[in-house]
Amino acid sequence: MISRCTYYSNSISFSSSFLSFSSSSTSLFPPLPSFPLSITSRFKMSSDSLPPLPENRIVVGCGGVGLDYLAAVASYPNPDDKIRSTSLKFQGGGNAGNALTCTARLGLNPRIISKIADDPQGKSILEEFGADGVDTSFLVVSKEGNSPFTYVIVDNQTKTRTCIHTPGYPPLIPEDFPQSTMSAALDRARIAYFDARLPETAILIAQEAACRNIPILLDAERKRERLDDFLKLTNYAVCSAKFPQVWTEAPSVPSALVSMLLRLPNLKFVIVTLGENGCIMLERSKNEGAELEEVDVESLLESLNQRKDESVAYPTCVSSLEMKLRADGIGTVSGRLFVGTAEKIPPSELIDTTGAGDAFIGAVLYAICASMPSEKMLPFAAQVAALGCRALGARTGLPHRSDPRLASYF
């Protein structure tokens, strides 16, 4: 059973729906799991009603932070236009900064590794992290230069955003992060997260994490400097829609995911996010030598897409059993294929998609720390991302662990 939480003032009601599978497909598709429901009559749930947090919840993240200057406009301007904003917000941003803020609100203990300057933007970045409980002990502050910042134009008409980024200076370099600091930053970490920015220093931290057997999650948004070096160390990858095919030169997304698992032996799963079309995930089988049925990965994806229930608005997930997944001309890998849907957000509630991918990754980090099954992880991450799209800015709408809209996942 998959459950949805719906608002009516301060009361919460849940609706449920079943996805059924025909008897002819039972050899390919497992039954859907049943998720526990937690119902509350108030907007904020009592902490007593929540399950215990993961025992080890230290997440180390290295990558981009900054300050976002967000201006919402009725429609994107034409050249030489002079228009007025409909709303304005200054807020912390950056892939790593947003993802770790998400993990903090969900109850983890994140540590951020990055670099800012001792300027007004840098002070705002520090203050926001502190308010959300992100550990800034390993955030390098330069006495000179500038902190990273981004102008974000949010188009109310098309529900899109345009970003104009100014990098920080000076950049983070290995001399900023000696071995003793690196050891302290990674101490007792459950997982390390990288967005592949600040590569000269970040790759050294990733290599140290791998030596300590700390799992690594990579945000593979686009080709970047030393990205291949990061990928070789990566255990979990979350990719943008175009990245798998760009990196592998495979003819389709599912064949590209097979190629990634074949080329990257450390990779346990790879997720490609598709915006309003949800996501696809390929998870490596833990028993590669098992006798499994072999299927064409393209045909399997088509079968899974046919089993999605498009009539429901809340995020759902359908998956295959463990199988040998064949991509013609590429090879075969043993694993499970998952298709996750995104929430169908009413147009009146969709405000800004800035940082939606970062929120998704933050939720995946939480799911890994909590040993959440994949069938639950994908709808959970989609729900967290959708909640963030209901307010201006990447962090305004990020939910806290006590948010009743997340109750059915805990």
Side-chain angles (χ1 to χ4, degrees):
M1 185 172 67
I2 300 178
S3 304
R4 181 194 181 195
C5 177
T6 309
Y7 291 89
Y8 297 101
S9 184
N10 286 333
S11 65
I12 306 296
S13 66
F14 291 88
S15 61
S16 61
S17 175
F18 290 91
L19 289 184
S20 60
F21 298 89
S22 65
S23 59
S24 63
S25 65
T26 55
S27 63
L28 297 180
F29 307 104
L32 289 176
S34 177
F35 299 159
L37 296 181
S38 176
I39 303 177
T40 176
S41 61
R42 297 190 178 276
F43 187 80
K44 290 274 189 178
M45 289 189 297
S46 165
S47 58
D48 295 337
S49 67
L50 292 168
L53 285 161
E55 184 175 346
N56 184 351
R57 49 187 185 272
I58 296 174
V59 178
V60 177
C62 178
V65 302
L67 190 67
D68 289 350
Y69 296 85
L70 297 119
V73 296
S75 61
Y76 195 82
N78 295 313
D80 288 331
D81 273 359
K82 293 183 178 180
I83 62 173
R84 292 188 177 185
S85 62
T86 59
S87 56
L88 186 68
K89 182 179 286 290
F90 308 126
Q91 187 177 73
N95 289 35
N98 295 337
L100 291 192
T101 297
C102 180
T103 66
R105 294 191 186 181
L106 292 174
L108 301 185
N109 296 334
R111 300 168 179 166
I112 182 69
I113 299 172
S114 193
K115 189 170 186 176
I116 58 174
D118 185 16
D119 57 9
Q121 292 91 342
K123 290 181 174 62
S124 294
I125 292 167
L126 279 171
E127 288 172 4
E128 270 198 65
F129 279 144
D132 273 307
V134 178
D135 186 345
T136 58
S137 303
F138 306 100
L139 189 61
V140 179
V141 180
S142 171
K143 292 297 181 185
E144 300 177 346
N146 66 275
S147 298
F149 63 92
T150 303
Y151 296 115
V152 183
I153 303 172
V154 180
D155 186 335
N156 292 336
Q157 186 177 62
T158 62
K159 306 295 184 181
T160 58
R161 83 285 187 273
T162 302
C163 301
I164 306 168
H165 180 64
T166 299
Y169 185 84
L172 185 69
I173 56 176
E175 288 75 15
D176 291 327
F177 223 76
Q179 182 65 39
S180 58
T181 305
M182 192 183 306
S183 296
L186 294 172
D187 183 44
R188 298 175 291 113
R190 170 64 177 84
I191 191 168
Y193 155 70
F194 299 88
D195 64 11
R197 288 174 171 82
L198 314 173
E200 188 180 354
T201 307
I203 193 62
L204 300 178
I205 299 169
Q207 289 167 347
E208 181 67 20
C211 288
R212 293 168 176 249
N213 294 316
I214 298 170
I216 292 173
L217 184 146
L218 179 69
D219 175 5
E221 187 178 37
R222 61 173 64 95
K223 281 190 172 183
R224 299 184 189 278
E225 182 184 347
R226 302 203 68 175
L227 183 69
D228 285 6
D229 294 329
F230 283 106
L231 283 166
K232 291 173 185 176
L233 301 171
T234 296
N235 304 106
Y236 311 100
V238 180
C239 309
S240 62
K242 296 180 180 179
F243 176 83
Q245 286 181 262
V246 169
W247 190 72
T248 64
E249 299 183 349
S252 67
V253 170
S255 62
L257 300 185
V258 170
S259 179
M260 288 184 71
L261 258 63
L262 289 172
R263 293 167 62 175
L264 302 169
N266 291 325
L267 203 57
K268 295 181 179 180
F269 70 60
V270 54
I271 300 171
V272 55
T273 56
L274 304 170
E276 64 182 11
N277 294 316
C279 66
I280 303 170
M281 170 174 151
L282 181 55
E283 181 179 60
R284 189 188 302 274
S285 173
K286 295 179 181 178
N287 188 4
E288 290 276 0
E291 291 293 327
L292 301 172
E293 181 180 354
E294 183 172 314
V295 296
D296 176 71
V297 70
E298 307 280 354
S299 300
L300 183 58
L301 177 60
E302 184 178 347
S303 297
L304 289 173
N305 281 327
Q306 290 174 357
R307 285 163 173 80
K308 293 189 298 186
D309 189 345
E310 300 289 357
S311 66
V312 296
Y314 49 87
T316 63
C317 176
V318 292
S319 69
S320 72
L321 295 171
E322 286 192 9
M323 315 192 77
K324 288 185 178 178
L325 306 175
R326 181 184 67 256
D328 291 341
I330 294 174
T332 302
V333 67
S334 297
R336 295 178 68 192
L337 192 65
F338 298 77
V339 172
T341 65
E343 182 182 356
K344 294 179 176 64
I345 305 173
S348 61
E349 296 180 23
L350 179 58
I351 304 299
D352 180 16
T353 60
T354 302
D358 304 330
F360 186 97
I361 288 174
V364 170
L365 287 166
Y366 176 90
I368 293 170
C369 291
S371 300
M372 191 179 286
S374 300
E375 295 88 346
K376 185 189 286 190
M377 175 182 72
L378 295 182
F380 172 66
Q383 183 68 81
V384 170
L387 294 175
C389 294
R390 287 173 158 88
L392 183 63
R395 301 183 189 176
T396 310
L398 285 177
H400 290 80
R401 178 176 166 83
S402 57
D403 193 310
R405 294 167 290 186
L406 300 179
S408 60
Y409 300 100
F410 292 125

